[in-house]
Every structure is written in C-alpha cells, then in structure tokens.
Amino acid sequence: MENKIKEILSHYKGVFGVIIKDSFGNRLAINENEVFPSASIIKLFILNRLAKEDYDVIVKLTKEVKVGGCGVLKSLKDGLMLTTKDLAYLMICLSDNTATNLLIDYVGMENVNQHSKENGYLHTILGRKMMDIEAKKAGKDNFTSPKDVERILDILCEDKDCLDMLKNQACNNKLPLYLPEEVELAHKTGELTSIEHDVGRLYFEKGWVDIIVLTKELLDNTDGKKLNNEIGKVVYDYYNQ
C-alpha cells in the first residue's frame, strides 16, 4: 500500500502530507509535520472547543453575520434561531461558513488557539474567520499539519455526536468517490485554490483506518481531487481484500 500511495503522489505536482493509521497499530506517514493552509479542516478544531453543556445554547442568525462560500445559512431568513449543536452540524456536514463564524464568535478564537498551544498542536492556528478577505490580505490565515489532524480526528471519532456529524458529511467527491455506497467514512473536506484536503476514519469489518490527505501548491485543483480519489480506493482495497 505504501508504494502504491507514493506512486500516486509521484504523478502530481504539489506538496502532499499523508497519514494512514489503523486500529491494529500500523501507521504510514509522509510529511506529517508539513504545515498546510487548513481551509475547512480548521473546523474540526473549532468543533472540539464546543462544550457539550453548551449544545442547547440558542444563537440568532442576523444579516450582519452572513458570509459567502459553502453553506445554506447565507440564504435563510434573518432572525432564525439555532442551537450551537445545529451550527456544529451545519459547519461539519455542509461546511457552512456562516455557521462556522457564529461558532468562532461563541467559543472564541483565542480559546481555540490557546487549546491548540496547551495540547501540543504545534502547527494549528485559527488566524481568521471564514471568508475574511481583509484578514487574509493582512497575512492572517488558518493552518494545520497532518500530525495535528491525526490527533484531533482521534478525539472527535471517540465522541458520539462529533462522529455522527462526520459520518453525515455531504461533500463526498474526494476520498469516498470510488468506494461502495454502504461503506462508512467519517470525514471532513477542505478546499481553496491549489488546495484539496480530505481527512477521515474509514470503517471496515474488523476495525478502522484513518486516512489523512493534505495538499498545497497544486497546479490544478482537479489533481487534488483525483489523488484523493485514488488514495481512498487504494486504502479501501487494502483493508477489504
């Protein structure tokens, strides 16, 4: 499997970070400490800072908080009342940027970054809200690494609610594209220009395997989707032979 994954990566131009880790203790890592613009993968770290006891807190949707990009809240009626748990589902399942920004306001950007620092997420920074172009122009951005994602994925997959959010992912054009429909993959995608990420836990009859694929400096985003497609298929075939 390792040789096949390296061969896949050799067919594309860019920088890649990959971790494959299974429930039997096997682990493959390529550029695990490389820092990547996180795109929507940063939403996993925001989710981790939302306390269970706050799931029923009500948040009001207003015109001022709506932003573009992924999601449905930008198109819904002003004044809509949602729980923070509702927002979390929208953030993870639909990658809703407005929901994400509302949760950043609720949990606090500094709290997310302080938690990352205190818990040894060496490469993860929440530097701006979603779609904040001015912040990005000022040099503020969101970053993470395959190794940091590996750790946060472990934590979220042990939580029933978070796992359900990841299993209900609606963006399925990368790792799971060539997999049978009945296969369970709890995952989160992220994309920006020249960046295509997908990270998740694939379940099979005897256990699970985590697949973490981060990319940057792609010549074409289509390449990033294709290499995710191919890696997903290779890993699935290996654990289902």
Side-chain angles (χ1 to χ4, degrees):
M1 181 177 64
E2 179 176 358
N3 289 336
K4 288 183 178 179
I5 290 174
K6 288 180 177 179
E7 182 180 356
I8 289 169
L9 296 179
S10 73
H11 295 160
Y12 299 98
K13 299 292 185 181
V15 179
F16 314 114
V18 177
I19 295 178
I20 311 294
K21 181 184 72 177
D22 64 30
S23 51
F24 310 123
N26 301 306
R27 186 176 184 273
L28 159 66
I30 299 170
N31 294 332
E32 63 181 317
N33 289 308
E34 181 76 26
V35 179
F36 292 80
S38 67
S40 287
I41 301 302
I42 198 67
K43 295 169 184 177
L44 298 178
F45 296 88
I46 298 167
L47 176 62
N48 188 50
R49 295 312 300 140
L50 179 60
K52 290 279 190 177
E53 56 266 27
D54 293 342
Y55 270 10
D56 292 327
V57 172
I58 302 295
V59 177
K60 185 177 181 180
L61 176 65
T62 64
K63 181 179 180 179
E64 292 72 27
V65 301
K66 292 180 179 179
V67 295
C70 293
V72 297
L73 286 186
K74 63 187 178 185
S75 302
L76 300 186
K77 184 178 179 180
D78 297 345
L80 181 65
M81 308 300 284
L82 304 110
T83 66
T84 58
K85 187 177 182 180
D86 293 334
L87 295 174
Y89 266 92
L90 290 166
M91 176 176 72
I92 298 302
C93 302
L94 298 180
S95 210
D96 194 298
N97 288 327
T98 298
T100 304
N101 285 351
L102 284 167
L103 285 175
I104 291 173
D105 286 339
Y106 185 78
V107 302
M109 189 177 294
E110 285 307 313
N111 287 335
V112 175
N113 288 323
Q114 186 64 28
H115 180 267
S116 294
K117 183 177 180 180
E118 290 175 353
N119 288 274
Y121 296 101
L122 300 178
H123 310 117
T124 299
I125 298 171
L126 174 60
R128 62 172 178 85
K129 288 185 176 182
M130 305 302 107
M131 308 304 292
D132 189 342
I133 305 303
E134 293 306 312
K136 192 167 184 176
K137 286 180 180 177
K140 299 176 182 178
D141 212 339
N142 305 320
F143 298 96
T144 193
S145 68
K147 191 170 184 178
D148 284 359
V149 173
E150 175 189 22
R151 291 182 56 210
I152 202 70
L153 189 63
D154 260 337
I155 292 169
L156 296 177
C157 286
E158 292 301 316
D159 180 278
K160 182 180 178 182
D161 293 307
C162 296
L163 180 60
D164 188 60
M165 295 175 201
L166 293 167
K167 283 184 176 181
N168 280 287
Q169 174 60 239
C171 305
N172 293 306
N173 63 337
K174 296 180 196 175
L175 287 176
L177 186 68
Y178 295 145
L179 308 188
E181 288 187 11
E182 66 273 14
V183 169
E184 276 194 319
L185 176 65
H187 70 122
K188 180 75 189 79
T189 62
E191 52 273 330
L192 291 168
T193 302
S194 302
I195 292 166
E196 292 286 348
H197 305 324
D198 203 351
V199 303
R201 178 163 292 183
L202 176 67
Y203 293 86
F204 56 96
E205 186 177 354
K206 297 180 181 179
W208 52 259
V209 55
D210 287 344
I211 311 171
I212 295 158
V213 181
L214 303 184
T215 71
K216 63 180 178 180
E217 300 176 24
L218 296 168
L219 293 181
D220 190 307
N221 277 64
T222 301
D223 291 345
K225 294 184 180 76
K226 287 180 178 178
L227 72 87
N228 269 282
N229 299 160
E230 294 173 29
I231 289 174
K233 184 66 163 59
V234 164
V235 175
Y236 172 80
D237 288 345
Y238 181 84
Y239 284 94
N240 288 274
Q241 57 188 334

